[in-house]
Amino acid sequence: MMLLFIFVCLLLPSFLLSGESNLTIDEDLDIERQLKLLNKPAIKTIVDDGDIYDCVDIYKQPAFDHPSLKNHKIQLRPNSYPDGLFDDDISSSTNGTSIEIGLKDGNTCPSGTVPIRRVSKDDLIRMRTSFKNMKMNPPVKNDETHVQQQWAVHITETEGLYDFYGASVYINVYGLPQVMQKQFSSSLTWLVNNLEEDQINTISAGWTVSPVAYGDNKTRLTASWTIDNFQKTGCQDTSCPGFVQISKKLPLGIVVSPLSTYGGKQYGLNIVVYKDPERKNWWFFLGKDRELIGYWPNELFTALNYANQIHFGGLVGYLENSKKPPMGSGHFPSEGTNRSCFFSNIQYVNDENKMHELMLGNLSPHSSLQKCYDVGSYFRKGGEFGNMFFFGGPENCP
Ligand SMILES: *[C@@H]1O[C@H](CO)[C@@H](O)[C@H](O)[C@H]1NC(C)=O
Ligand SMILES: *[C@@H]1O[C@H](CO)[C@@H](O)[C@H](O)[C@H]1NC(C)=O
Ligand SMILES: *[C@@H]1O[C@H](CO)[C@@H](O)[C@H](O)[C@H]1NC(C)=O
Ligand SMILES: *[C@@H]1O[C@H](CO)[C@@H](O)[C@H](O)[C@H]1NC(C)=O
């Protein structure tokens, strides 16, 4: 199983740099074997928006192939919720513009099964050959191994405020069909334990346009985790073992719609990730109605009792010396309302399992390449937005 895990994590150094490859017979066999293990027997198969979802036995989903989860007892819902999670003033705050996604009614998985996006051979080949390029690294320690990624984010100030047990945020969502092959553009919240590089534990969640991961340019719900800043471990969605899917109708990787239009109506996703104080698993909820998606078991992590930083904003990946993808709405934060992508209603969960708004002094902006991707100041908007910031930048920035 360890072998499987390593393969699934696509740690084949000889491929890390190349953008393309021809498979040898051995590699081809590996991929076939991996496919067999990942794609579990389906009780029902759902086609949604061109994607194939297999409804697999909830107890036999890919998560449980992870070596650390051999003795994991599945949890069907959290033992408790953070105080404030269902407060009206928070959950109704983005009235009318919060996207509620999911498999269409009458097309959800039967009871006792969960939808897992089917991984194709092409997906595995693409991910294998472009792995270095697609990792959802948090914006820390930007050394030369990450030269093909750029961030424009807000990061929590560590002074006096550093034990985070969750984050809740409204992320404005755009379509970015301009994202090309071998690129991705994501807008994410990262819960990070920022230690030595090879010990960085992270969970991230948000939306992405990633031809690298999905083979198309659709905007999708995504989530990732790693325990070493994606050096040897890490996984996006359910494309390898780790995340335990609980919802019958809301799979990771699902296409998001409707999308915001530049200068027009704006939509967004309410994202919540928090740690259940009893069982210590990290739960993922979506939408105004706090629909439960699933969780990352505590056993996956080596250092995530709590996060010591939360990061919010955009991340893009691309091949060295090639064109750059757009970030956010594809427009700079200076364009503001209805034109630039934003995060609003930014909250965290404290050590007493209570939700709190992040105050203006609690976040500071960081941009790795400001002339291409920028992030505006964190400011008080009030009303349905609370505190917010804009971020992003156009494609093909020189
Ligand atoms: C793959 O193999 C074909 C035929 O041998 C060759 O023409 C092509 O350039 C190879 N592609 C790569 C990326 O090596
Ligand atoms: C949200 O929508 C409901 C029903 O349409 C309306 O009654 C309420 O005033 C709205 N709240 C806000 C904050 O806009
Ligand atoms: C996005 O994907 C669609 C469907 O595959 C394709 O027709 C379109 O050309 C793509 N957009 C760009 C800008 O590549
Ligand atoms: C943003 O769009 C909404 C509705 O589409 C409109 O009511 C509002 O005036 C716009 N705001 C700005 C600053 O353009």
Side-chain angles (χ1 to χ4, degrees):
M1 265 330 152
M2 200 59 204
L3 252 189
L4 162 71
F5 183 55
I6 287 169
F7 270 121
V8 165
C9 290
L10 309 166
L11 288 171
L12 299 172
S14 55
F15 290 102
L16 289 183
L17 287 169
S18 85
E20 320 177 20
S21 79
N22 285 331
L23 298 179
T24 65
I25 290 168
D26 279 354
E27 289 157 1
D28 195 65
L29 284 174
D30 275 345
I31 285 190
E32 291 290 348
R33 206 168 49 98
Q34 207 180 318
L35 272 178
K36 235 185 221 146
L37 279 161
L38 275 175
N39 291 321
K40 305 292 183 196
I43 280 129
K44 174 180 171 185
T45 293
I46 294 168
V47 180
D48 185 271
D49 241 322
D51 291 318
I52 300 174
Y53 296 95
D54 287 320
C55 297
V56 305
D57 186 331
I58 190 169
Y59 296 100
K60 293 180 184 155
Q61 57 181 300
F64 300 120
D65 287 332
H66 191 286
S68 301
L69 302 183
K70 277 280 159 282
N71 300 313
H72 180 78
K73 193 166 168 290
I74 199 168
Q75 195 179 6
L76 296 177
R77 53 200 61 261
N79 290 96
S80 59
Y81 300 90
D83 279 358
L85 183 65
F86 297 102
D87 282 4
D88 273 355
D89 57 334
I90 295 161
S91 53
S92 68
S93 54
T94 45
N95 218 3
T97 62
S98 180
I99 302 169
E100 305 299 327
I101 47 177
L103 300 169
K104 320 273 177 301
D105 278 351
N107 210 8
T108 62
C109 281
S111 169
T113 70
V114 289
I116 304 288
R117 186 171 175 274
R118 190 183 293 177
V119 179
S120 71
K121 189 167 179 176
D122 281 349
D123 291 336
L124 290 182
I125 294 172
R126 230 181 21 252
M127 288 194 271
R128 181 181 286 230
T129 54
S130 311
F131 179 60
K132 183 179 176 190
N133 193 35
M134 66 173 279
K135 300 184 291 181
M136 301 275 174
N137 292 89
V140 291
K141 310 212 164 65
N142 189 7
D143 61 28
E144 60 190 328
T145 58
H146 303 149
V147 287
Q148 300 149 310
Q149 299 191 335
Q150 305 296 341
W151 299 274
V153 296
H154 269 278
I155 301 184
T156 51
E157 288 292 343
T158 42
E159 212 158 303
L161 189 63
Y162 54 83
D163 46 348
F164 301 108
Y165 292 80
S168 170
V169 71
Y170 177 82
I171 312 180
N172 188 208
V173 182
Y174 272 86
L176 293 173
Q178 319 91 302
V179 178
M180 315 226 280
Q181 284 185 19
K182 294 173 186 146
Q183 298 182 336
F184 71 82
S185 180
S186 304
S187 298
L188 301 171
T189 293
W190 290 263
L191 286 145
V192 184
N193 204 350
N194 190 0
L195 304 165
E196 291 303 306
E197 164 121 40
D198 61 355
Q199 295 167 29
I200 293 175
N201 279 225
T202 295
I203 289 172
S204 65
W207 60 266
T208 190
V209 177
S210 178
V212 172
Y214 308 98
D216 61 27
N217 54 27
K218 295 174 182 169
T219 298
R220 293 168 184 275
L221 176 72
T222 193
S224 298
W225 64 274
T226 176
I227 57 171
D228 61 359
N229 206 24
F230 291 96
Q231 291 185 34
K232 294 182 179 158
T233 69
C235 185
Q236 187 173 353
D237 300 347
T238 45
S239 66
C240 35
F243 184 78
V244 179
Q245 175 76 30
I246 298 294
S247 169
K248 289 188 294 184
K249 64 171 216 187
L250 192 47
L252 294 187
I254 193 170
V255 173
V256 177
S257 85
L259 300 169
S260 309
T261 50
Y262 178 73
K265 192 156 169 52
Q266 302 300 304
Y267 295 93
L269 294 171
N270 280 99
I271 298 272
V272 181
V273 176
Y274 81 93
K275 185 167 183 131
D276 178 352
E278 252 171 81
R279 285 279 305 271
K280 314 286 187 197
N281 299 322
W282 290 90
W283 286 86
F284 184 11
F285 287 80
L286 187 76
K288 267 199 305 186
D289 300 334
R290 310 309 195 198
E291 170 120 11
L292 180 162
I293 304 176
Y295 66 91
W296 293 270
N298 188 40
E299 297 94 308
L300 287 178
F301 301 100
T302 50
L304 206 57
N305 289 336
Y306 54 82
N308 66 12
Q309 287 185 339
I310 315 177
H311 306 169
F312 306 92
L315 163 67
V316 296
Y318 51 95
L319 291 182
E320 233 163 331
N321 305 319
S322 75
K323 290 182 170 177
K324 297 184 187 66
M327 177 191 285
S329 69
H331 295 267
F332 284 115
S334 54
E335 295 198 28
T337 305
N338 294 351
R339 291 179 170 78
S340 175
C341 195
F342 65 90
F343 280 58
S344 64
N345 266 307
I346 302 174
Q347 301 180 66
Y348 69 98
V349 180
N350 72 3
D351 57 358
E352 294 173 329
N353 206 26
K354 288 199 174 83
M355 316 247 315
H356 284 283
E357 190 171 30
L358 274 166
M359 296 299 157
L360 296 188
N362 294 156
L363 287 180
S364 58
H366 296 264
S367 173
S368 59
L369 189 63
Q370 199 171 8
K371 73 173 168 106
C372 294
Y373 306 108
D374 203 1
V375 55
S377 62
Y378 185 47
F379 69 100
R380 176 110 204 117
K381 172 90 171 179
E384 54 182 290
F385 298 101
N387 295 339
M388 67 183 290
F389 67 86
F390 293 102
F391 71 100
E395 67 268 27
N396 301 335
C397 177

